Amino acid sequence: MDIAVTPPTTAGADLLPAQFPAVGPDQGWRVVHEIPGRIRLKNRALCRRRDLCALVERELQAVWGIVQCQVSSLTGSVLVKYAVQKLRRDQVVEIVESLSFSSALPARSTAGSPAGSPDGRVAAPASESVALPLCAVAVPLAAAAQIAVPILLPLSAGLLAYTAWPSLKRAFRVAVDERRVGGDAVDSILVGGCLVTGAVLPGSIMCLCLEFGRTASRRARERARQVVLGQLAKIPRYARVCYDDQVVDTLVQRVRPGDFVEVRAGEIVPLDGIVAQGAGQFDHSAWAGPGPVRERGPGERVFAGAVVVSGTVRIRVEATGTRTAVAGWNELLAHSTDEEPLAQRFCENWADRTALPILALAATALVTVGPAGALAIMYCDFRTGVRMSAPPAVAVAIARGANYGILVKAGPTLERLARVDTFVLDLTAFPEYRPSQLAAVVTGLKDRGVSRCLLLTRLGDPVDLEWLDRIGAEHVPVRGGEREKAEIVFDLQEFGDSVCFVGQGVENRAAMRTAAISLSFSHPAEVVDDPAQILILGDDLDALVRLRELAGELNRNLQRTWQWTLAPNVICILGAFTLGFGVAAAMTLNAAGSFVALANGLWPLRRLAEDRLQRDVLEDLRDLYHNSGEVAVPASVTGPGPSATILQMDKYRRPAGEEVHDNNGHELCANTGEE
């Protein structure tokens, strides 16, 4: 079969990713520092542009060969650490330059733009970056003004009012718009009392604690985003494009649909397409979770991110860049932590609901034990501990799910899954399910708190009722209509059940919308269009038990976080009335509780690190081991994950005598074919 294509034209604006408009003449990149494996570049268009920084970081984190990427909106710099065996220095620079952009994103509607930003840009507020340092300076200034230098009192009072302004604005907005007293009202009343009485030191300390909590919350969200970005599927940014009788390494952005690309054994497919010539075995487990290696030949579809285990194939390109299936997966995963965790919403509501009782207790303490006790009670903080720990805990659970080929589109969905008591499994979507596997799944779900499992089968299919009764499942025959399944889910929820519907999302949109939680076993090509809240790539029913276990672990972790946040405040209130607690004791208790809660929220990171280490070890073995045989991976490395502890390296074997080089052309080894 002769394959010939026309060489692509010079890359222009239409070939760049859609979110990055073409670079302007004065917005280029420049290298400011570099050593082998590490390079720092700057672009002034990134300064105070968190939206662009997030886009650049997300794109670079998904590049095969880039180990770590850090983007600073303060300096407009990008630090890239890369594997020299996989990428050259000039390739890294070319990849970064391909993400060039103009100094402004396309205009958005004014209604959705931040105040003072009519074009919809999201720049980092100047006050946000200096708020914590100002609060830190205000404390010693207030101490000096109140104790030794009274002439500084007006300056200290003005700085206190400035640092307390965010709390005052929020309290006013809640009082006017929602006509209620919120948690910020307590802080505002305390600041007002300090300003009236001249006690600027307690007010400055309180503002420092509040700003520390807000900063910690922002850092927690950023930490959560980093955790998820670390799980993005890695895709090569270079492809071997076939031009008549030659093969040329070309940036993926310059490859067009209809071109032909060559991929060899041990390499990663850089784009979606159809095999045009040759045959090989493909492994999608790098981003689609554990699964079998599949043979693909001419006319069969392959997806970006798949590893070619054996063979050399030429692929006719169908989609590149942001239009590939793995790009849709990465996009959904990158936004999975955007929504605020339910645990954080709960603690915010709790703080608002307890505002009036706290004020009443403080007034009582003022009369009975004095001002010190009243201030201690008003220093109670029900929010900071959960704000700091909930986002990273949810992000770790989402990232661990992604390792198994499970995509949770929003963090609150995983929190709600732990409370679901009924699973409805649409077996019409799994015509080849194994009864033994199904029995293990039902048993596993019931062991993890699920009270009912309903199995939907096609009307007329043979069903062993005795077997169903033995495993504790219920059977409902259906004709297969989408409306009929939605009515079953609706009736269950009308009787008080919380339902998770499991099926194929594209075929059961009505049932997915009706259920409290929707879960779909999806195909890579349907990831973007699937309406389910949780996607599982493949057809492995065991993933349901794994997912329920992840949700249960997350729920238990968040409960411990709330307990560590609540306990210090209860002790503080009791101590104010009985043990003479003051401001210092209240601050110490709240700080200790917040840091213990943070440590609890970050504890699951160790499990994620084990999963990531396992993935990196297996990838290195695939790249470097060329002889046949078995390579034993220690259980301490693999952990409890789904991958086998013995990696069969026959599928990655190279021909004897073949020299192996890195990307810089240096010889690594020569395969002798001997054991």
Side-chain angles (χ1 to χ4, degrees), residues 471-490:
I471 66 174
E474 303 174 45
H475 168 239
V476 180
V478 296
R479 291 182 175 85
E482 180 180 346
R483 183 181 180 86
E484 184 180 8
K485 298 173 186 176
E487 289 175 350
I488 292 172
V489 173
F490 179 80

Side-chain angles (χ1 to χ4, degrees), residues 212 388 568 585-597:
F212 175 79
M388 293 168 60
M587 289 178 55
T588 303
L589 282 170
N590 274 294
S594 296
F595 281 111
V596 172

Side-chain angles (χ1 to χ4, degrees), residues 498-523:
S498 179
V499 177
C500 174
F501 182 84
V502 181
Q504 290 186 344
V506 176
E507 300 175 358
N508 298 286
R509 294 180 183 272
M512 295 281 175
R513 288 194 299 265
T514 307
I517 300 293
S518 54
L519 195 154
S520 173
F521 284 83
S522 186
H523 187 270

Side-chain angles (χ1 to χ4, degrees), residues 92-113:
V92 174
V93 173
E94 187 175 16
I95 289 170
V96 174
E97 287 179 343
S98 72
L99 303 179
S100 297
F101 42 82
S102 64
S103 60
L105 287 177
R108 303 178 192 157
S109 61
T110 306
S113 304

Side-chain angles (χ1 to χ4, degrees), residues 85-261:
Q85 297 87 359
K86 300 175 181 178
L87 287 174
R88 300 190 306 270
R89 179 262 187 198
D90 58 294
Q91 290 178 325
V92 174
V93 173
E94 187 175 16
I95 289 170
V96 174
E97 287 179 343
S98 72
L99 303 179
S100 297
F101 42 82
S102 64
S103 60
L105 287 177
R108 303 178 192 157
S109 61
T110 306
S113 304
S117 180
D119 63 349
R121 289 188 285 171
V122 183
S127 58
E128 190 175 282
S129 58
V130 300
L132 188 60
L134 278 178
C135 290
V137 170
V139 173
L141 180 63
Q146 194 166 328
I147 298 172
V149 190
I151 195 173
L152 295 176
L153 197 59
L155 177 61
S156 179
L159 189 56
L160 171 60
Y162 179 80
T163 54
W165 183 244
S167 295
L168 295 172
K169 284 196 301 184
R170 279 191 292 270
F172 180 78
R173 185 172 62 249
V174 170
V176 172
D177 297 344
E178 303 179 23
R179 300 188 180 278
R180 62 182 178 86
V181 177
D184 290 302
V186 178
D187 305 329
S188 303
I189 292 172
L190 183 57
V191 170
C194 292
L195 290 173
V196 170
T197 60
V200 291
L201 181 57
S204 298
I205 294 174
M206 187 204 71
C207 287
L208 176 62
C209 295
L210 291 175
E211 187 55 40
F212 175 79
R214 284 191 285 266
T215 302
S217 178
R218 288 194 295 270
R219 296 284 175 84
R221 292 196 299 270
E222 179 65 22
R223 188 181 298 112
R225 192 175 66 86
Q226 291 286 347
V227 167
V228 170
L229 288 181
Q231 299 306 120
L232 296 182
K234 301 283 189 178
I235 306 300
R237 288 299 191 268
Y238 282 86
R240 292 191 183 92
V241 182
C242 306
Y243 304 126
D244 295 329
D245 58 346
Q246 60 179 340
V247 177
V248 181
D249 283 347
T250 306
L251 204 63
V252 167
Q253 280 94 328
R254 299 174 183 171
V255 180
R256 302 204 182 240
D259 289 351
F260 290 86
V261 170

Side-chain angles (χ1 to χ4, degrees), residues 15-53:
L15 298 179
L16 296 176
Q19 63 266 43
F20 293 105
V23 64
D26 59 342
Q27 279 128 20
W29 294 88
R30 61 186 180 91
V31 178
V32 295
H33 181 265
E34 62 175 304
I35 58 175
R38 184 178 183 274
I39 186 170
R40 184 184 297 274
L41 304 96
K42 276 194 175 183
N43 191 315
R44 66 178 186 174
L46 291 175
C47 292
R48 296 188 58 229
R49 293 293 305 280
R50 288 185 176 175
D51 53 348
L52 291 182
C53 290

